[in-house]
Amino acid sequence: MDTILVVNAGSSSVKFQVFEITGKGELDRLIKGQIDGIGVRPRLRGEGAARKSLIDRSFEAGEIADIPAAMQAAANWLRDGQNLEPSAVGHRVVHGGPNYDRPMLIDDAVLGELERYVPLAPLHQPNNLAPIRAIRGRFPNLPQVACFDTAFHRGHDPVVDHFAIPERFYNEGVRRYGFHGLSYEFIAQRLQAIAPDIARKRVIVAHLGSGASMCALSDGRSIESTMGFTALDGLPMGTRPGQIDPGVLLYLIQQKGMDAGTVQELLYHDCGLKGISGVSNDMRELLASAIPGAALAVDYFVYRVALQTGMLASALGGLDAFVFTAGVGENSPMIRARISEKLGWLGAELDSAANGAAGTVISTPKSRVAIYVVPTDEELMIARHTLKAVTECKTTSLGSG
């Protein structure tokens, strides 16, 4: 059985999925799993079709102390417990920098280039690269493909990508990239299937989760995004602040005596919904809390989404549809309702019943802006890219022979 393993590694967890390559060249999801609590309370879980549990095993902290050990545990289970050995591995890599505008087969040169972007995504990039190194160390001939969250946005006009700083910095790669591109690419393709007329028009997609951003699509292409040079910009997130005056950072350094490392820790781990509420970075907990700080955090999140919608609608020259996706966007009728209410000036009108029932279309028939809820699937997008990259490589090799 030919399969593709998809890996999405975080700081204390590794999520993975296995897809079978069918005879028609399509992809069927076989397994969805993750190892979390790495180094603390490691736990391996995996499920198959119809969400049937295949494994739920806990380990001692020392047994799975880091990401390479987690990858080894997952590989052992897939091989010994499920009789699966992937023919290729696809990885989510957050930052592709200025040079990579498409998925890439990984070799030493590509891996070295990606290591240069660790300072641009310190919360994600080191963890994205760790399993790549681990797999290359044990299986050097196994094809691995890096799929970048920045790639979908690389076609932006230069006026969109620039900061108002000296041009030499832009030439060095200091520019607005945009992130969550794998999610937006999936949504753009999904809209072609469920709403082909809308897919060709002016659409804003709101990827609202622990990490949050928004993207303006025109004819299925990204033309603007709320995130910029790093994944700190734009919307407030679970623990990241979103848009912030650079003068605040200068104040923290010059007047509060913080060094760069301390400021980085603050921006990535202690701001956003967590910072405002003083309670939690989880939207579910904030909505259920009676603490004033929790209400303020929710109000702020909704306000900033509405504010950024105006910016993206301006970039599009109008708006035909608004799409909610990701954890909060897909699962919180309350947040969808509150955001939709603020989009009334654009002609958006929510159907409360459809919203409560988690319908695909949650706007009324007379709404001038169609409102959708479309579940994202970054892992399937990665699997598709991996299959294509490996297939093209084989075809090229045969052709050159």
Side-chain angles (χ1 to χ4, degrees), residues 19-321:
F19 293 83
E20 179 187 4
I21 306 170
T22 69
K24 298 180 180 179
E26 298 176 349
L27 293 161
D28 285 343
R29 198 184 326 262
L30 298 178
I31 292 174
K32 181 178 182 180
Q34 70 179 61
I35 299 180
D36 51 26
I38 295 172
V40 183
R41 295 187 184 88
R43 182 182 179 190
L44 168 60
R45 287 172 287 175
E47 60 184 34
R51 304 193 70 174
K52 178 184 177 182
S53 177
L54 301 175
I55 188 171
D56 190 341
R57 178 186 172 190
S58 296
F59 299 81
E60 295 296 325
E63 291 183 88
I64 302 181
D66 52 24
I67 289 176
M71 287 303 307
Q72 183 62 52
N76 290 344
W77 174 66
L78 289 171
R79 183 185 63 246
D80 300 334
Q82 301 299 311
N83 196 31
L84 292 172
E85 293 193 20
S87 52
V89 184
H91 299 266
R92 179 194 179 206
V93 178
V94 166
H95 218 302
N99 296 325
Y100 296 130
D101 61 356
R102 67 200 66 191
M104 296 291 297
L105 275 166
I106 298 168
D107 56 20
D108 289 338
V110 171
L111 186 55
E113 182 75 6
L114 296 179
E115 288 171 344
R116 293 179 52 214
Y117 308 134
V118 167
L120 308 189
L123 193 66
H124 302 90
Q125 197 86 347
N127 302 312
N128 298 157
L129 301 184
I132 295 174
R133 295 193 197 94
I135 293 171
R136 280 173 63 80
R138 296 203 63 220
F139 307 100
N141 296 321
L142 179 62
Q144 297 191 77
V145 177
C147 302
F148 307 108
D149 263 339
T150 51
F152 186 63
H153 306 292
R154 295 303 299 122
H156 284 176
D157 189 281
V159 75
V160 174
D161 283 352
H162 270 72
F163 293 110
I165 57 177
E167 186 71 4
R168 67 180 183 274
F169 294 112
Y170 180 86
N171 294 332
E172 293 172 7
V174 182
R175 59 185 71 175
R176 299 184 68 247
Y177 290 98
F179 296 88
H180 291 133
L182 292 164
S183 176
Y184 295 129
E185 185 177 11
F186 178 84
I187 296 299
Q189 292 185 7
R190 184 67 182 139
L191 284 175
Q192 292 175 11
I194 65 175
D197 290 341
I198 288 294
R200 292 189 289 269
K201 295 182 179 180
R202 302 165 297 182
V203 179
I204 292 174
V205 184
H207 179 106
L208 307 180
S210 180
S213 71
M214 297 165 69
C215 177
L217 299 177
S218 178
D219 196 19
R221 296 180 299 105
S222 169
I223 66 163
E224 179 61 276
S225 171
T226 58
M227 279 185 170
F229 181 55
T230 69
L232 287 169
D233 201 8
L235 300 178
M237 291 163 260
T239 61
R240 286 169 273 169
Q243 185 178 25
I244 187 170
D245 183 342
V248 173
L249 309 184
L250 294 176
Y251 172 82
L252 296 177
I253 294 169
Q254 295 172 351
Q255 303 301 319
K256 305 298 289 186
M258 293 185 178
D259 60 22
T262 304
V263 172
Q264 177 173 291
E265 180 73 15
L266 173 73
L267 294 176
Y268 279 98
H269 297 285
D270 295 319
C271 292
L273 301 180
K274 177 183 177 182
I276 293 178
S277 70
V279 177
S280 174
N281 64 336
D282 190 314
M283 182 62 76
R284 292 165 297 187
E285 294 181 14
L286 297 176
L287 287 171
S289 175
I291 295 174
L296 176 62
V298 175
D299 290 346
Y300 184 78
F301 181 80
V302 170
Y303 172 71
R304 299 303 296 192
V305 171
L307 205 63
Q308 296 287 325
T309 299
M311 177 193 78
L312 296 179
S314 176
L316 288 166
L319 186 62
D320 299 302

Side-chain angles (χ1 to χ4, degrees), residues 345-368:
W345 67 276
L346 285 165
E349 184 174 302
L350 186 72
D351 182 326
S352 298
N355 182 44
T360 299
V361 181
I362 60 171
S363 52
T364 66
K366 66 178 183 179
S367 178
R368 296 200 306 274

